[in-house]
Amino acid sequence: MEEREREKTGIRDMEKDRWIVKVSPEMAAPSLKDNRGDVDRLLGGLRKALDGGEVSIDFGLAKRIPSTLREYGYELQAVLYKDTYSWHLVELFPSGLEGSIYGLAADLGTSTVVIRLLDLTTGATKDESSFLNPQVEVGQDILARIHFAAEKEGLARLKRCLIDRLNEEMAQLAQRNNFGTASLVGMCVSGNTTMTHLFLGLDPFWICREPYIPAINRPDLIKAAELGVALNPESPVMVIPNVGSYLGGDLISGILASGMTHQDEISILMDVGTNAEVVLGNREWLMGCAGAAGPALEGGVARMGMMAGPGVIDQVIADPETGEFRIRTIENKSPVGICGSGLIDLVAQLFLAGMIDLRGKYVESKCGRRLKEVDGVNHFVLVSSQDSGTGQELTLSQPDIDALIRSKAAMYTILTTITRMVNVSIKEIRNFYIAGTFGSYIDAQSAITIGMIPDLAPETYKPLGNTSLNGASMALLSAKAKEEIYEIRDRLTYIELNVNQEFMNLFSAAKFIPHTDNALFPSVRPWSSTG
Amino acid sequence: MEEREREKTGIRDMEKDRWIVKVSPEMAAPSLKDNRGDVDRLLGGLRKALDGGEVSIDFGLAKRIPSTLREYGYELQAVLYKDTYSWHLVELFPSGLEGSIYGLAADLGTSTVVIRLLDLTTGATKDESSFLNPQVEVGQDILARIHFAAEKEGLARLKRCLIDRLNEEMAQLAQRNNFGTASLVGMCVSGNTTMTHLFLGLDPFWICREPYIPAINRPDLIKAAELGVALNPESPVMVIPNVGSYLGGDLISGILASGMTHQDEISILMDVGTNAEVVLGNREWLMGCAGAAGPALEGGVARMGMMAGPGVIDQVIADPETGEFRIRTIENKSPVGICGSGLIDLVAQLFLAGMIDLRGKYVESKCGRRLKEVDGVNHFVLVSSQDSGTGQELTLSQPDIDALIRSKAAMYTILTTITRMVNVSIKEIRNFYIAGTFGSYIDAQSAITIGMIPDLAPETYKPLGNTSLNGASMALLSAKAKEEIYEIRDRLTYIELNVNQEFMNLFSAAKFIPHTDNALFPSVRPWSSTG
C-alpha cells in the first residue's frame, strides 16, 4: 500500500536512476496552523516526494510560485533535475495533466548534427533527426571555424546559427510528436572540443595554438535559457566534458557507450575522421591519443569520394573467378561516388586481384583496359559513363590511392605506437570497437587487407554506430551513466603521440599493403597466392 | 614555512570563518605537459587555496576566464563565497592589486534604512549611513505598501525605488571610502517579512491575508545582478529568513545579535514598533510571538510625538522637590516634539508626581495651570510657546496618554501571556534584551513605572541598539553566524497569541499604572507615598 502510494506521488523505482524526473508532491493547503511560506511549502512536498533529497529553487522561478500554487490549488506535478549537490526545480504543471517529459541527446558533428528525442520517463527513443551543421557555410573544417570565431561577431554568429538550427529542429520534433516545447526538459550534448566550445559560445582561440588549451574541460550543467536553447528555460543542458583539445566529449561518450570500462579484458575504441582518436583500456585504466589520419577516409580526398548518401558506393566486391567488380550503392541508386567503406573495399580488392602492388601502384598488365591515363596520371575506371548516375566515369586515380595509403598507415602507426607505449600486445585486444557511422559500413576484412587495422579475428571488430549520440543518450537518461562520464573524463590519460624517428620508421613500414612485415597479416592472401 | 606559504596564497586562519574571501590561487602556466582547460586550471588553483573545498564557477563568468587568465599572466586574486554546498567565484583581480574587499549589512526598516560598510577581511566597520525608506512616499505603513504592490507596476515600483536609493547610497559609501563598487562583494539584508519581500520583488499579497502566508521563508543566496543591487554582479546577497508574516528576518538577526541562544539562562528579546515582537528562550528552546502594540511608542500617536531627530525630547525628569519638569533634547536644540522614550519618561513622571491617576487621567488639582482645556480635552503643557522650537506649545493630551496606556498594556499582556504559555515565571528571566534604536533611549525604570515592562532589576534590561543591523553584520562576516541564522529560524516556534477572554482580562488589568495588581511592581513609588 505504501509502495503504491509512493508510485503515485513520489519518485518511482524505475526512475531511481533518472536525474531528470517528474513527481507529484503532496502539500497541505496553508492554514493558521501551517503558515509556511509558499516556496518552503513546495520545497517540503518536493523533498518528501524525492525521498528526502535536498531541493533548491532558482530565485526567478521562486517568484512565480505563490500564484502558481494557488492557480493549481496546491495539486501539481513538478519536473526536477539533480546536480552534484541537490535537486533543482525546472517547471510546475497542473496535476492530472497527461503527457510525458522529453529530453534531447545531440551529437554535434563538424559536418552533421544528429539529435535524438528521448522519453525521460520510459527511456524510449521517440524520434531522431539529423541535419548539416550550418557552420559548414562559414568554415568546412574545425580550423576554418576557429579562425572565423576570432573575427568580429564571428564566435556569436557560429553559436547563433547552430543554436537557431537546433531550435528549429527541436520545435519540429515536438510538433511531430504532439507535445509542447515546455515538455522538453533536458539535453545532453556531445561533440569534439571545438564544437562544444562553439555551442557554448566559448572562444576556441587557444584550442589550435600550442600548448592547445581549451577554455573549459568540464562544464557544469547550464540552463537552457542561458544558452538560448529552446527547451523549457530552466532545463539543464549537459555538455559532455573533454580531456583536452584533441580528446573531445564525443570520444568520452563513445567510451561510455562502448562499455569498455566495465570489462577486465583490454579493448580499443577507434574513432576515425580527419583525426583518428584511439582509446585503449579496461576497468582499471584508460589511455587515449589522437593523431592526424588524413581526410581520405571521410571521402574528402578521392575525386569521386563523398559522404554517404543515395547512389554512393559503400561496398565493392571483386570476383576472383571473373575479375568482375560488383558494387553496391546506397538505396540502390545509380552510382554517383564512393564513400570511405567503399574505397577501402575497392583498394583491398584491387590489391587482392594484383591490380595494385604492395606499394599501392597500379599494375598495368593486370588492370588492362580498365586503366586509363589522364594528364600522365593513372585512373582505374570503376563505373563507366553509361552506368554512372552522373553521366561521367567514376574513377580512382593513383594519387587517390596514395592518399588512402598514407591515411591507413597513419592509423596503423597510431595503433602500434599507443599499444607499445602502454606495453600491450595487439594480440591482447579482445574488443576492437569502431565508433562512428563510418565504422558501421566498413568491412573489417577489407580494412585488414589494406593494413589499416591489425589482423585480428574479424569478430573482434565491433562497429558501434554513433557512439557519441548513444553515450549522450545514456548520460541523459541515467544518473549513474552521467557520473560515469565524469569518471571516464578524470581517468582518461591523454598520451601525446611522440612523432619521433621511431614513429616515422613505423609509419614508413606501414605504407605498404598490408605492411612491409607480411607476418603481421597472415589472413591477407592475394588471389595469385591462393589460386 | 608551509604555514607562511599558506598565509600568502591560501585562505588565512583569520578568514577560516569567513564565507566571502579573497585568495591568491597558485597556477602553473599551461604547457604541453599540463594542458588543462583554463577554467579547470583556475578551479584547481582555487581548490588548493581553499584547502580542498569544492568550487564552482558560473557559466557567464567562465566565458571571461581564458582572456582574464592570460591578461593577468596566471597571477591573480580571486574573490569567492561559500553556500551550503560549495564555493562560488565572484571576481578575479590582478595579483598585487592592493585594497580590501567590502560588504554591506542592511537593516530595511519600514521607515528608515540603515546600511553598514564592513571590511570583509578584517571584519572592521568602515562606515555607516541611513536614509528614509523611499517607499514611505507611496505608503506610510506596511499595509499601505502591500495594497500598493497589488496595483499595476506597484510591486516593481516599490522594489525599484528602494533599490535605486540603496544603490546611490552604496556608490557614495564606496566613493567616500576610496574604492570601486567592484570591491563590494557581498550583502546581508535584514528586515520584516514585508520589507524583505518588497526588496526581493516578491508579491506580499498573501502576507496580510488569512492565513498570512509569505511567498518565501528562507531565500537562498541570490546574485546581486539578479536583484539589480549595484555590488559586483556575481556577489551573493543574503536575505535573513523569516518564520512567517509576523516574525521577520529583523527579529531573527536580533536573536543572533543578542546571543540569547548561547545561554543556559532564559532571556527575553523584545522588539517594539507598531507590532511588539517578543522572543523567549535559551540554548535549548526558542518561542516567539507578535502582537499589535499600537503605534504610540513609535511617536505615531501623541500629537507632539515624532521620530528621534534634532530638538526631539528624548528624556524627561521631574524634580520631586520643585515639581519642575526638566527635558533633554537631541543635540540640545530647542524642543520640537517628543519621541517614544521621552513620552514614557513624561508619563512616568506625571504618574509619580500624582498629576495623572492610576487610570492615566489628569488630576486637575495636581496639574494646576499646566493643564489646559482645548475643545473639552485636557492638555498638559510641557513646553511653552516661548521655549518651543516650533513657536507653539508642546502639549500632551488626555487621548495621547490613553493611547500610550493601551500600547503599554498590550505589551505587558503579550509578555505575560507568552511567559504563561511556555510556563516560565517572569522572575526567571535573567536578560531582558530590548532591540531597536528605541530601546537604546528608553529608561527602564520609566517603562517599569508605567507598567510597560515587568518590575525586574534595572540591570536585567539590556538595550542592544539596532540588533537587526548587528545580526546582519555578523551573518555577513561569519560562516558560523550565517549557519546560526538558519538554525535560529528553524528552531524558533511561532506562538499564535490566543486573544481570548483570558487575554482580554489580562489586558484590562494592565490598563492601569503600573497595574491593577500593585504587588507586581514593588519598585514603583509615587512621590506622595515616599514623600
Side-chain angles (χ1 to χ4, degrees):
Chain A
M1 187 63 193
E2 196 186 276
E3 197 47 43
R4 247 178 106 188
E5 195 67 11
R6 173 83 41 85
E7 280 279 315
K8 260 174 35 207
T9 61
I11 187 167
R12 282 171 290 191
D13 274 348
M14 65 167 297
E15 294 175 4
K16 280 276 156 71
D17 185 39
R18 297 269 188 266
W19 60 277
I20 308 177
V21 300
K22 184 157 81 168
V23 295
S24 302
E26 275 189 359
M27 272 178 289
S31 67
L32 283 174
K33 295 259 174 243
D34 176 3
N35 69 341
R36 281 175 299 164
D38 293 316
V39 172
D40 309 75
R41 178 177 309 274
L42 174 62
L43 283 172
L46 291 173
R47 284 193 196 102
K48 228 163 114 189
L50 293 161
D51 282 350
E54 265 312 307
V55 181
S56 73
I57 297 183
D58 181 86
F59 181 62
L61 203 50
K63 283 190 182 181
R64 280 169 30 202
I65 284 175
S67 55
T68 305
L69 289 191
R70 287 173 179 82
E71 186 187 335
Y72 295 168
Y74 299 89
E75 298 199 345
L76 45 81
Q77 300 171 302
V79 175
L80 302 104
Y81 71 92
K82 196 187 197 168
D83 71 4
T84 321
Y85 305 111
S86 72
W87 291 93
H88 298 266
L89 185 62
V90 173
E91 186 61 286
L92 298 174
F93 294 102
S95 188
L97 187 80
E98 293 299 316
S100 196
I101 50 171
Y102 301 93
L104 284 168
D107 167 41
L108 301 183
T110 309
S111 318
T112 306
V113 176
V114 191
I115 61 177
R116 179 180 290 169
L117 178 68
L118 295 155
D119 182 317
L120 293 181
T121 306
T122 64
T125 295
K126 302 293 289 180
D127 208 336
E128 209 169 292
S129 130
S130 71
F131 54 89
L132 192 73
N133 187 330
Q135 296 171 338
V136 165
E137 269 187 44
V138 298
Q140 276 286 338
D141 60 28
I142 283 180
L143 223 55
R145 291 185 211 172
I146 294 180
H147 290 315
F148 186 83
E151 289 175 23
K152 191 166 178 295
E153 299 297 316
L155 176 57
R157 273 184 59 195
L158 283 166
K159 182 190 166 184
R160 199 64 258 163
C161 75
L162 173 59
I163 287 189
D164 284 349
R165 188 72 186 78
L166 261 173
N167 287 349
E168 274 172 37
E169 207 68 27
M170 278 180 207
Q172 281 174 23
L173 277 186
Q175 200 176 18
R176 205 152 78 195
N177 290 274
N178 298 311
F179 62 86
T181 48
S183 299
L184 272 175
V185 293
M187 185 168 184
C188 184
V189 172
S190 177
N192 65 52
T193 304
T194 302
M195 283 307 304
T196 54
H197 272 56
L198 295 178
F199 171 73
L200 292 170
L202 292 170
D203 193 349
F205 188 86
W206 300 101
I207 288 182
C208 66
R209 288 166 171 88
E210 208 180 311
Y212 315 110
I213 306 296
I216 194 164
N217 294 135
R218 187 196 149 137
D220 288 332
L221 299 179
I222 303 168
K223 282 183 197 166
E226 200 166 352
L227 287 174
V229 181
L231 311 173
N232 195 308
E234 294 285 322
S235 306
V237 177
M238 174 180 183
V239 173
I240 307 277
N242 64 69
V243 174
S245 293
Y246 294 115
L247 295 186
D250 48 353
L251 193 67
I252 306 281
S253 57
I255 295 170
L256 176 75
S258 77
M260 63 191 285
T261 53
H262 291 278
Q263 298 160 5
D264 293 323
E265 301 168 337
I266 296 171
S267 301
I268 273 189
L269 173 69
M270 185 179 85
D271 193 349
V272 192
T274 312
N275 269 318
E277 288 143 18
V278 175
V279 176
L280 192 62
N282 62 7
R283 186 193 299 285
E284 310 269 315
W285 54 272
L286 216 47
M287 304 281 192
C289 72
L297 304 177
E298 270 197 326
V301 162
R303 229 165 26 94
M304 69 164 166
M306 48 175 61
M307 316 234 310
V312 170
I313 299 164
D314 66 349
Q315 198 182 60
V316 180
I317 299 172
D319 186 333
E321 303 298 317
T322 63
E324 280 298 296
F325 280 73
R326 275 178 295 144
I327 59 169
R328 188 182 70 186
T329 62
I330 295 173
E331 294 177 19
N332 279 319
K333 294 273 178 1
S334 296
V336 294
I338 195 163
C339 66
S341 60
L343 186 62
I344 290 168
D345 273 359
L346 175 56
V347 174
Q349 298 301 332
L350 286 171
F351 174 71
L352 293 178
M355 294 161 99
I356 54 176
D357 62 18
L358 48 79
R359 295 168 306 132
K361 300 299 175 193
Y362 282 119
V363 179
E364 293 184 19
S365 62
K366 293 280 186 165
C367 293
R369 56 192 182 80
R370 297 196 76 147
L371 208 62
K372 177 174 154 179
E373 209 183 288
V374 181
D375 297 335
V377 172
N378 273 333
H379 285 70
F380 179 83
V381 181
L382 179 63
V383 178
S384 69
S385 52
Q386 292 100 302
D387 294 338
S388 158
T390 64
Q392 307 227 302
E393 285 175 339
L394 300 183
T395 66
L396 185 70
S397 73
Q398 187 61 58
D400 289 343
I401 299 183
D402 297 345
L404 176 65
I405 288 181
R406 280 193 303 275
S407 285
K408 81 94 186 172
M411 173 63 69
Y412 189 78
T413 310
I414 291 168
L415 287 171
T416 312
T417 308
I418 188 173
T419 47
R420 284 192 182 193
M421 283 171 90
V422 299
N423 235 340
V424 164
S425 150
I426 280 186
K427 300 272 170 229
E428 293 175 60
I429 308 300
R430 284 294 159 274
N431 303 292
F432 198 112
Y433 299 113
I434 301 173
T437 319
F438 166 69
S440 304
Y441 293 104
I442 207 172
D443 179 73
Q445 193 53 53
S446 289
I448 292 170
T449 299
I450 67 165
M452 184 173 101
I453 54 178
D455 194 0
L456 300 168
E459 62 272 21
T460 312
Y461 291 97
K462 284 156 189 159
L464 297 180
N466 192 335
T467 49
S468 168
L469 187 63
N470 292 344
S473 306
M474 289 165 71
L476 185 63
L477 288 172
S478 156
K480 231 180 276 167
K482 173 167 160 265
E483 276 323 294
E484 222 178 305
I485 283 283
Y486 297 117
E487 281 165 31
I488 289 169
R489 197 218 81 85
D490 292 345
R491 280 180 51 201
L492 179 58
T493 309
Y494 176 67
I495 301 188
E496 179 74 33
L497 274 184
N498 212 346
V499 183
N500 52 16
Q501 192 54 50
E502 192 198 352
F503 184 93
M504 291 315 294
N505 291 344
L506 287 168
F507 179 65
S508 297
K511 268 164 59 182
F512 289 77
I513 304 180
H515 195 271
T516 43
D517 183 0
N518 273 332
L520 291 171
F521 290 85
S523 80
V524 179
R525 310 252 180 102
W527 298 350
S528 55
S529 67
T530 55
Chain B
M1 187 60 193
E2 196 186 275
E3 196 49 40
R4 244 178 107 187
E5 196 67 14
R6 173 83 41 84
E7 280 280 316
K8 260 177 29 209
T9 60
I11 187 167
R12 282 173 288 191
D13 275 346
M14 64 166 298
E15 294 174 5
K16 280 274 155 73
D17 185 39
R18 297 267 188 268
W19 61 276
I20 307 178
V21 300
K22 185 158 83 170
V23 295
S24 302
E26 276 190 357
M27 272 177 290
S31 67
L32 281 174
K33 295 259 173 243
D34 176 3
N35 69 342
R36 281 175 298 164
D38 293 314
V39 172
D40 308 75
R41 176 178 310 273
L42 174 61
L43 283 173
L46 290 173
R47 283 193 197 102
K48 228 163 114 188
L50 293 161
D51 282 348
E54 264 313 306
V55 181
S56 74
I57 297 183
D58 181 85
F59 181 62
L61 202 52
K63 282 189 180 180
R64 281 167 32 201
I65 285 175
S67 56
T68 305
L69 290 190
R70 286 173 179 81
E71 186 187 336
Y72 296 167
Y74 298 89
E75 298 199 344
L76 46 81
Q77 300 170 303
V79 175
L80 302 104
Y81 71 93
K82 196 187 197 168
D83 71 4
T84 321
Y85 306 112
S86 72
W87 291 92
H88 298 265
L89 184 63
V90 173
E91 186 61 286
L92 298 174
F93 294 102
S95 187
L97 186 78
E98 293 300 317
S100 196
I101 50 171
Y102 301 93
L104 284 169
D107 168 42
L108 301 184
T110 309
S111 319
T112 307
V113 176
V114 192
I115 61 177
R116 180 180 289 168
L117 178 67
L118 296 155
D119 183 316
L120 293 181
T121 307
T122 64
T125 295
K126 301 294 288 180
D127 209 336
E128 209 169 291
S129 130
S130 72
F131 54 89
L132 193 72
N133 187 329
Q135 295 171 340
V136 165
E137 269 187 44
V138 297
Q140 276 286 339
D141 59 28
I142 284 180
L143 222 56
R145 290 184 212 171
I146 294 181
H147 290 315
F148 186 83
E151 289 175 25
K152 191 165 178 296
E153 299 296 318
L155 176 58
R157 272 183 59 194
L158 283 166
K159 181 188 168 187
R160 200 65 257 163
C161 74
L162 173 60
I163 287 188
D164 284 350
R165 188 72 186 76
L166 261 172
N167 287 349
E168 274 173 36
E169 207 68 27
M170 279 179 206
Q172 282 175 22
L173 277 186
Q175 201 177 18
R176 204 151 79 194
N177 290 274
N178 298 311
F179 61 86
T181 49
S183 298
L184 272 176
V185 292
M187 184 169 185
C188 184
V189 173
S190 179
N192 65 53
T193 304
T194 302
M195 284 307 305
T196 52
H197 272 57
L198 295 178
F199 171 73
L200 292 169
L202 292 170
D203 192 348
F205 188 84
W206 301 101
I207 288 183
C208 68
R209 288 166 171 88
E210 206 181 314
Y212 315 110
I213 306 297
I216 195 164
N217 294 134
R218 187 196 149 134
D220 287 334
L221 299 178
I222 304 167
K223 283 183 196 166
E226 201 167 349
L227 288 174
V229 181
L231 311 173
N232 197 307
E234 294 286 321
S235 306
V237 177
M238 173 181 184
V239 173
I240 307 279
N242 63 69
V243 175
S245 292
Y246 294 115
L247 295 185
D250 48 355
L251 193 67
I252 307 281
S253 57
I255 295 170
L256 176 75
S258 77
M260 64 191 284
T261 54
H262 291 278
Q263 299 159 5
D264 293 323
E265 303 168 337
I266 296 170
S267 301
I268 274 189
L269 173 69
M270 187 179 84
D271 194 349
V272 190
T274 311
N275 269 318
E277 287 142 19
V278 175
V279 177
L280 192 62
N282 62 8
R283 187 194 298 284
E284 309 270 314
W285 54 271
L286 217 45
M287 303 282 189
C289 71
L297 305 176
E298 270 195 327
V301 161
R303 230 163 27 92
M304 69 165 168
M306 49 174 59
M307 317 236 309
V312 170
I313 300 164
D314 66 348
Q315 198 182 61
V316 179
I317 299 172
D319 187 333
E321 305 298 319
T322 63
E324 280 299 297
F325 281 73
R326 273 179 294 143
I327 58 169
R328 189 181 69 186
T329 62
I330 296 173
E331 294 178 19
N332 278 319
K333 293 274 177 3
S334 296
V336 294
I338 196 164
C339 67
S341 61
L343 186 61
I344 290 168
D345 274 358
L346 176 56
V347 173
Q349 298 300 332
L350 287 171
F351 174 71
L352 293 178
M355 294 163 102
I356 55 175
D357 61 18
L358 49 78
R359 294 168 306 134
K361 298 302 174 192
Y362 283 119
V363 178
E364 294 186 17
S365 63
K366 294 278 186 167
C367 293
R369 55 189 184 81
R370 299 194 78 147
L371 207 63
K372 178 174 152 177
E373 207 184 290
V374 181
D375 296 335
V377 172
N378 273 334
H379 284 71
F380 178 83
V381 181
L382 179 63
V383 179
S384 68
S385 53
Q386 292 100 303
D387 295 338
S388 157
T390 64
Q392 307 227 302
E393 286 174 340
L394 301 183
T395 66
L396 185 70
S397 72
Q398 186 62 58
D400 288 344
I401 298 184
D402 297 346
L404 176 64
I405 287 182
R406 280 193 304 273
S407 284
K408 79 94 186 172
M411 173 62 71
Y412 189 77
T413 309
I414 291 168
L415 288 171
T416 312
T417 308
I418 188 172
T419 47
R420 284 190 182 196
M421 284 171 89
V422 298
N423 234 342
V424 165
S425 150
I426 280 187
K427 300 274 169 228
E428 293 176 59
I429 308 300
R430 285 293 161 274
N431 303 292
F432 197 113
Y433 298 114
I434 301 174
T437 319
F438 166 69
S440 304
Y441 293 104
I442 207 172
D443 180 73
Q445 192 53 53
S446 290
I448 291 170
T449 298
I450 65 164
M452 184 172 100
I453 54 177
D455 195 0
L456 299 168
E459 62 271 22
T460 313
Y461 290 97
K462 286 156 189 159
L464 297 180
N466 191 338
T467 48
S468 169
L469 186 63
N470 291 345
S473 306
M474 290 165 69
L476 185 63
L477 288 171
S478 156
K480 233 180 273 167
K482 173 167 161 266
E483 277 322 294
E484 224 178 305
I485 283 284
Y486 296 117
E487 281 164 32
I488 289 171
R489 196 218 82 84
D490 291 346
R491 279 180 52 202
L492 179 58
T493 309
Y494 176 66
I495 301 188
E496 178 74 31
L497 274 184
N498 212 346
V499 183
N500 52 17
Q501 192 53 49
E502 192 198 351
F503 185 91
M504 291 316 295
N505 291 346
L506 287 169
F507 180 64
S508 297
K511 268 164 60 183
F512 289 77
I513 303 180
H515 196 271
T516 43
D517 184 359
N518 273 332
L520 291 171
F521 289 86
S523 80
V524 179
R525 309 248 179 106
W527 298 349
S528 55
S529 67
T530 56

